[in-house]
Amino acid sequence: MATSTTAPLTGYLSDNAAGTAPEILAAMAEASTGLAAPYGNDPTSARLTTLMAGVFERPVDVFVVGTGSAANGLALAACTPPWGSILTHPDGHITNDEAGAPEFFTDGAKIVLVDGPRSTMDPTALRAAVVRRRGDVHSVQPSVVSLTQVTETGSVHTLDEVREVSTIAHDAGLRVHMDGARFANALVALECTPAEMTWRAGVDILSFGATKNGTMTAEAIVSFDPSLSTELAFRHKRGGQLTSKMRFQSAQLVAYLENDLWMRHARNANAMAARLREGLRPVTGVEVVGDASANMSYFRFPAALTQALHDRGFTFYDDRWEPGVVRLVTSFAHTARDVDAFVDAGRALAIID
Amino acid sequence: MATSTTAPLTGYLSDNAAGTAPEILAAMAEASTGLAAPYGNDPTSARLTTLMAGVFERPVDVFVVGTGSAANGLALAACTPPWGSILTHPDGHITNDEAGAPEFFTDGAKIVLVDGPRSTMDPTALRAAVVRRRGDVHSVQPSVVSLTQVTETGSVHTLDEVREVSTIAHDAGLRVHMDGARFANALVALECTPAEMTWRAGVDILSFGATKNGTMTAEAIVSFDPSLSTELAFRHKRGGQLTSKMRFQSAQLVAYLENDLWMRHARNANAMAARLREGLRPVTGVEVVGDASANMSYFRFPAALTQALHDRGFTFYDDRWEPGVVRLVTSFAHTARDVDAFVDAGRALAIID
Amino acid sequence: MATSTTAPLTGYLSDNAAGTAPEILAAMAEASTGLAAPYGNDPTSARLTTLMAGVFERPVDVFVVGTGSAANGLALAACTPPWGSILTHPDGHITNDEAGAPEFFTDGAKIVLVDGPRSTMDPTALRAAVVRRRGDVHSVQPSVVSLTQVTETGSVHTLDEVREVSTIAHDAGLRVHMDGARFANALVALECTPAEMTWRAGVDILSFGATKNGTMTAEAIVSFDPSLSTELAFRHKRGGQLTSKMRFQSAQLVAYLENDLWMRHARNANAMAARLREGLRPVTGVEVVGDASANMSYFRFPAALTQALHDRGFTFYDDRWEPGVVRLVTSFAHTARDVDAFVDAGRALAIID
Amino acid sequence: MATSTTAPLTGYLSDNAAGTAPEILAAMAEASTGLAAPYGNDPTSARLTTLMAGVFERPVDVFVVGTGSAANGLALAACTPPWGSILTHPDGHITNDEAGAPEFFTDGAKIVLVDGPRSTMDPTALRAAVVRRRGDVHSVQPSVVSLTQVTETGSVHTLDEVREVSTIAHDAGLRVHMDGARFANALVALECTPAEMTWRAGVDILSFGATKNGTMTAEAIVSFDPSLSTELAFRHKRGGQLTSKMRFQSAQLVAYLENDLWMRHARNANAMAARLREGLRPVTGVEVVGDASANMSYFRFPAALTQALHDRGFTFYDDRWEPGVVRLVTSFAHTARDVDAFVDAGRALAIID
């Protein structure tokens, strides 16, 4: 869709392998004109805040950052004291894949795991966890619940699930953080509005992922709780995230939000994933696993098929979960032609096998 | 020079107010093609390391970051334990303008100030400071010396000065960090090579500033000490600086280094500053102060002149130092026409005044 | 034994409820004579190091601290970088009962849980955990294994178990920490020497618990790895544990170690626990649970029995584990008379019930 | 006074070289009787809080700690965010002698120095410092002022000085911490009440020093601001300061406060210091320097006199300040006989010299 290539894309390792969109490059070029006030005091950054307020149908505070790890770390630090705990699912990116960034940004808070199906926290377990040893000076204090949307296994929290998590958290005085690394893909999967999936469902602060869906070096923290903003501003600077030429990050996000680009990107990514699942489901020996409804799909492949596809140059992860399980991630950049080439190869190689 | 504008640039607040160069935008667009491995495992990032090795005439380790604060914080954290001290000049950016980022990234190391003329540390004072209470468990332990090149008051450490600082530090077992926020401008001022100004003069690790001189969202840590690299890699990730689409930052730095773009930018910025100083020196009531040889110049202006220039739309800082002292910073984007417009206005308004 | 009381002791909540021994009080008084160099530079502290070297049959470094939490936190901080992980059993005190002290002292390292029977880490699970994502910059790095001796559920790691944990850890380059909150009780249970249970079995650093077994305000870190000592000295001071009048803590530990006092205390505590188990085992409805061989025993009690004993003034925890499970902890201060009073009451009340 | 010795005390290095009082030892022994609830839930600790409320003529929260460094670190951590600054005099213990403990406990706050005569902060300089770059996200934010009473050079803040510091701090929204390492000595010097010197003069939180004046292993944080107490309780535990057998620390402080023991100790220490100053003032070549009114005195001694006194076995620091300046510290344990022996020796040796 966004990137024109002659050869089909053969990579399904992650949506972060895609480039960016021409619209975003153009916005960067445009933002480069003339001098601009640094550190976010430029018109493009102001425009971003306005756009975000429109997207979320309410005033918000926006902190532009360079990585999802920084977004998560800073957002969580604003929601927990160092002696607090962060409740999240064992599959969560924050506990597995950030080399301790949440512990770093929070000055040593503790991540406490709450298991459950489909990479969502079981409400009963969560209800117990939010009050566990509350007020007991010998224990870390439950302070914030963090849920990942889309989850790391490709499922999507329903609005009811987000609301239930939020209610449980708020009833016990905890805040709610959403790690929205694939925020747009979740919106498309749920066919709901950004407001519905966040603050209307009880989310207090959001890591607004954009890179995987088309920006280059820009993500954002979107805060729905103005009481966190002063603290966030200092943590943001102190955490090495306040860029001098912020206009170049804001411009990416502005272009991303304008003209529905982000939704078009996410719709494409999700549609391509659905096309993959539909195309591969009938293949002999292939099984769709998990509960994918966004742009990340898990399958069971015969080992020979995996090998044969790798031999043809298709890239995807196959060694990280149980044996035989592979993951295919599509992005805004994948086209129907790309996906069909994969499906055709899968069918052909499965037969041979 | 780099940016074509119809109206003259009238801003001299900081070089970080400038945009970027067309060469860099073009490189971003080119880098966007196709899929690429994330987290720095892409060909553009590999190319950057190769280029840096060429620039510095030796193998180096490169960690791309989004801000100078992150570069400084991470580099210093690799050079001091939490109970160590960082010796720097009272004018240093790390102690005044980063909201405690060094303290954050080092887990609480202490910045100890060593005064001296021209924003450089007095060698005698430094010699005392590096051994102060060494081995005394009641005191923080001197661990790293950090010097800023160009200094915050526009002066440039001579090669002899860098060498002397390094020798004093190394003799006492401390490491040497250079905050090179205006690294290229200093090279031009000294007419020396990057190797001469860094590792050949004893610098162990460098915050390689690029944003002020033309990139958008990319700076780098350049390490000359391979023993620091494993630690830096983990700190870099944990500190929220390991971007997934790093190719878009690396592409900026590659374009910056290729075809001598960075040197052309810095030569222009320095030349424009010299032109400003030469143009303004004869103006009645104006005095050049400090020891500027790069792109940041300080002047004493009559208050009425400052006011009159502001009224004409020229922007520059005048309220941060002693009364009457103003700062003018030029960048790669300023042209002789821009500067001449400022000088002409200064002359005209001084006469009126 | 140590404390003479007229009424029997009726408390079994924890061994930390006991007072201290007359020998230790006498040593404090003696240590108070005259002036002494502060911060551990006194003869009593020197004597302690000598005694510890004798106890462990090798040179050791000793850092006196005020709490087990400080001992654990400082020892672990010397064994892991902030981006490291600490592997321990889910029952461990460090992960449950220290309000995040390990995370605080380590500047944000992560505790990773390795389950297994009898509150010991399953070797197969541990073998996988020590190499998990080693060298992967996106993940915390396994750095130290911490085992609790006596465990929090009253079992004691056998020497073979300690050796196996150590071998697994060392083979993967991790260090081994022992949380010896009930170190002496474990020695008595295993009938082995301090050397056998620690460095000869691969332990690198030990939290030498003494308070529960009879000191007042003194515990110690005992390090078998001299390469950690400089770092520990600074962390110890910086962590607020270097007392000026350390002689008063050292004196407690000296008296504790001299004349076999600590072993006599532990033998008594363990014997009283065995007497409790033997006495209560035949009681109707009572079941000894777990694998107690030191001074902490778990039982299943009928609810009515628990209530009736509480009504008679006996104190013990009954609400922290599964329903019906109670914990009885004996200390150096409990006598056979005390224990027999409990057993008699238990028998009488069980019959009534 | 408190300690009976046959040979005169010859040590004047520090008041922390003294032992403890028989009253305090007796209280420890008494506290040892029977079982007691751990972690401060014992009657002795409750008694301490009651006594402290009496001493300060208002409700207070008391957190018993083992060192002054911990008291300072924890108290400051409750008063500043990590991006805050702590304003104190360059002579302050917290900035010079705690190996970065304040930086550790505050998770990296910055100590900013405000100079002034007599180791007190100049009010004009402080007035500027408390508002410096307030709200500027690039700068640490002034958050707490910390004053040392008695100062490190032996002077004592007058009540007017404490009030002025507090007013300046509070007017700008900062909190006030007093490092009362020699709290009792200051009270005696000022002949005022504890309330007058603390909360009535604007102090929000106090490091209540007791060790130098006669306890063994016990100091306390006394908080006059109930809003800090929950946070302090968690920091206290997490910081490794919540002892299980706290009764043994509380008992020291109870005995210290009861029967005016602490005041008797401090009156003796101050009187002995005055006796030293009076005795030495007339000696040829000796000059009293500084502004001592408590128990720490500075003198200028001829080098030969210093050497001769050292040769006779008298110990005191002479190498830490300008050449020729020596420090003599007296404690509760020094008697008139001790002091007279020093004075006599000084006179005799000065004559010989």
Side-chain angles (χ1 to χ4, degrees), chain B residues 97-224:
Chain B
D97 297 303
E98 299 187 341
E103 288 85 350
F104 175 56
F105 282 98
T106 61
D107 295 311
K110 190 182 184 75
I111 297 178
V112 170
L113 303 178
V114 179
D115 211 341
R118 298 173 54 252
S119 299
T120 67
M121 288 170 272
D122 173 68
T124 305
L126 183 61
R127 219 168 265 120
V130 293
V131 296
R132 189 161 294 139
R133 302 183 66 179
R134 203 159 46 165
D136 175 354
V137 80
H138 298 269
S139 172
V140 291
Q141 296 296 295
S143 298
V144 58
V145 179
S146 177
L147 48 81
T148 315
Q149 184 78 317
V150 177
T151 77
E152 292 292 309
T153 58
S155 59
V156 178
H157 288 87
T158 65
L159 291 188
D160 278 348
E161 287 172 335
V162 178
R163 282 185 211 114
E164 185 164 28
V165 164
S166 297
T167 302
I168 293 169
H170 289 164
D171 285 355
L174 283 73
R175 283 212 169 82
V176 178
H177 166 251
M178 178 178 279
D179 175 1
R182 292 184 177 91
F183 187 74
N185 304 99
L187 286 179
V188 168
L190 294 180
E191 297 181 342
C192 70
T193 68
E196 285 167 350
M197 201 169 79
T198 56
W199 62 276
R200 287 206 171 113
V203 173
D204 296 299
I205 193 163
L206 169 69
S207 295
F208 183 86
T211 302
K212 288 179 163 66
N213 195 38
T215 62
M216 293 180 280
T217 62
E219 316 260 300
I221 299 165
V222 177
S223 170
F224 307 110

Side-chain angles (χ1 to χ4, degrees), chain D residues 151-269:
Chain D
T151 77
E152 292 291 310
T153 58
S155 59
V156 178
H157 289 85
T158 65
L159 291 189
D160 277 347
E161 287 172 335
V162 178
R163 282 185 212 114
E164 185 164 27
V165 164
S166 297
T167 302
I168 294 170
H170 290 164
D171 284 355
L174 283 73
R175 283 211 169 83
V176 178
H177 165 250
M178 178 178 279
D179 175 1
R182 292 184 177 91
F183 187 75
N185 304 99
L187 286 179
V188 168
L190 294 180
E191 297 181 342
C192 69
T193 67
E196 285 168 348
M197 200 169 80
T198 57
W199 61 277
R200 286 206 173 115
V203 172
D204 296 299
I205 192 163
L206 168 69
S207 295
F208 183 87
T211 301
K212 288 179 163 67
N213 195 37
T215 63
M216 293 180 279
T217 63
E219 316 259 301
I221 299 165
V222 177
S223 171
F224 308 110
D225 181 344
S227 76
L228 301 177
S229 297
T230 299
E231 173 170 352
L232 278 165
F234 284 103
R235 290 192 181 277
H236 184 241
K237 168 67 190 181
R238 177 179 173 83
Q241 293 291 334
L242 181 58
T243 50
S244 57
K245 296 187 178 175
M246 193 183 286
R247 55 169 153 168
F248 288 113
Q249 290 176 294
S250 298
Q252 296 174 50
L253 290 163
V254 165
Y256 179 74
L257 294 175
E258 280 182 339
N259 301 315
D260 210 35
L261 181 65
W262 66 312
M263 284 294 108
R264 284 185 279 132
H265 276 192
R267 279 193 291 266
N268 179 76

Side-chain angles (χ1 to χ4, degrees), chain B residues 77-108:
Chain B
C79 294
T80 179
W83 56 90
S85 63
I86 301 160
L87 308 182
T88 203
H89 191 276
D91 289 339
H93 197 266
I94 60 168
T95 195
N96 294 316
D97 297 303
E98 299 187 341
E103 288 85 350
F104 175 56
F105 282 98
T106 61
D107 295 311

Side-chain angles (χ1 to χ4, degrees), chain C residues 11 16-20 32 35-36 38 67 69 97 99-101 104-105 211 215-217 237-241 243-245 247-248, chain D residues 11 16-20 32 35-36 38 67 69 97 99-101 104-105 211 215-217 237-241 243-245 247-248:
Chain C
N16 65 24
T20 192
S32 184
L35 305 181
T67 63
S69 296
D97 297 304
F104 175 56
F105 282 96
T211 302
T215 63
M216 292 180 280
T217 63
K237 168 66 190 178
R238 176 179 172 83
Q241 292 291 333
T243 50
S244 57
K245 296 188 178 174
R247 55 170 151 165
F248 288 113
Chain D
N16 64 24
T20 193
S32 183
L35 304 181
T67 64
S69 296
D97 298 303
F104 174 56
F105 283 96
T211 301
T215 63
M216 293 180 279
T217 63
K237 168 67 190 181
R238 177 179 173 83
Q241 293 291 334
T243 50
S244 57
K245 296 187 178 175
R247 55 169 153 168
F248 288 113

Side-chain angles (χ1 to χ4, degrees), chain C residues 14-19 68 93 152 179-183 185 209-216 218-219 256 265 269 295-296 327 329-333, chain D residues 39 244-245:
Chain C
S14 174
D15 32 8
N16 65 24
H93 197 265
E152 292 292 309
D179 174 1
R182 293 185 176 90
F183 187 74
N185 304 98
T211 302
K212 288 179 163 65
N213 194 38
T215 63
M216 292 180 280
E219 315 260 301
Y256 179 74
H265 276 191
N295 67 319
M296 185 158 55
R327 186 183 83 167
V329 190
T330 51
S331 74
F332 73 93
Chain D
Y39 301 116
S244 57
K245 296 187 178 175

